[in-house]
Amino acid sequence: VNRHDSIITKQMLMNMIGVAAYEVGLMIFLLLDYEWIPDLQDHHSDPMTGPKSRHYTMLFNIFVLMQVFNEYNARFLRGEWQIWRGLNNNRLYLFISIGTMLLQIIMVQVAAPVLTFALKIHPAGLSWRQWLICLGFGAGTLVVQQILNRCRLLIMMLV
């Protein structure tokens, strides 16, 4: 082991920068352009954006889901394609991952009336259409990682 080598490989650095660019870029886009999102106002008195709005609740939810899906990417650090490989052999990992997802659903949907003051989320939670949008953007980290893996492979072939 060479003690002067970096603990972060080139692949890891590319993964971190690429996924961070996707996540930050997406969050800025969704923060500024939200008119297209369905069901933002349940009642005319609901805030369209800002604390306790469904808009901000979606931003919170998407951020958490991106981290949950990125946990699957982080299982392999050398550009592997089959991120699901061996998942059935790691029950603790599955328990933690599924538990995190269930806690997120409970926080946003069930406990929202209580947590609205602490987390500033909408007291009624999100609609099913908003959940689909959140899951789609969260799972986007899986796609971004595969694109990064392909780019790294192309770079290695050219060098």
Side-chain angles (χ1 to χ4, degrees):
V1 175
N2 187 349
R3 298 201 183 268
H4 299 290
D5 284 347
S6 175
I7 195 168
I8 299 174
T9 65
K10 290 178 183 177
Q11 178 73 43
M12 290 168 63
L13 185 62
M14 188 171 179
N15 294 351
M16 289 187 288
I17 292 171
V19 172
Y22 166 74
E23 291 182 1
V24 170
L26 177 65
M27 295 306 276
I28 291 171
F29 167 74
L30 292 173
L31 182 64
L32 300 175
D33 186 20
Y34 54 86
E35 291 85 13
W36 61 272
I37 300 172
D39 308 327
L40 279 183
Q41 285 185 305
D42 221 10
H43 301 85
H44 61 84
S45 62
D46 280 349
M48 183 68 105
T49 187
K52 299 185 184 180
S53 68
R54 284 193 166 174
H55 175 222
Y56 276 25
T57 304
M58 281 187 72
L59 291 175
F60 166 68
N61 200 36
I62 290 169
F63 180 78
V64 171
L65 293 178
M66 285 191 296
Q67 307 320 306
V68 171
F69 282 107
N70 198 40
E71 289 173 5
Y72 291 90
N73 287 330
R75 291 180 65 237
F76 297 100
L77 299 174
R78 293 188 179 95
E80 293 88 348
W81 299 96
Q82 301 170 337
I83 60 169
W84 310 111
R85 188 181 68 229
L87 202 55
N88 56 338
N89 298 328
N90 195 340
R91 291 184 185 190
L92 180 61
Y93 181 85
L94 284 174
F95 175 75
I96 291 170
S97 183
I98 292 169
T100 303
M101 185 68 84
L102 289 174
L103 283 173
Q104 182 65 14
I105 293 168
I106 289 168
M107 281 189 346
V108 171
Q109 289 303 120
V110 179
V114 176
L115 295 176
T116 189
F117 300 105
L119 297 177
K120 307 291 187 209
I121 60 176
H122 192 274
L126 298 175
S127 71
W128 66 270
R129 289 187 288 209
Q130 291 169 331
W131 268 100
L132 288 177
I133 292 169
C134 291
L135 286 169
F137 284 131
T141 60
L142 300 174
V143 176
V144 168
Q145 183 61 54
Q146 295 306 317
I147 292 169
L148 292 170
N149 290 345
R150 186 65 62 135
C151 289
R152 177 74 174 140
L153 186 63
L154 288 172
I155 291 169
M156 289 176 64
M157 288 172 44
L158 294 174
V159 175

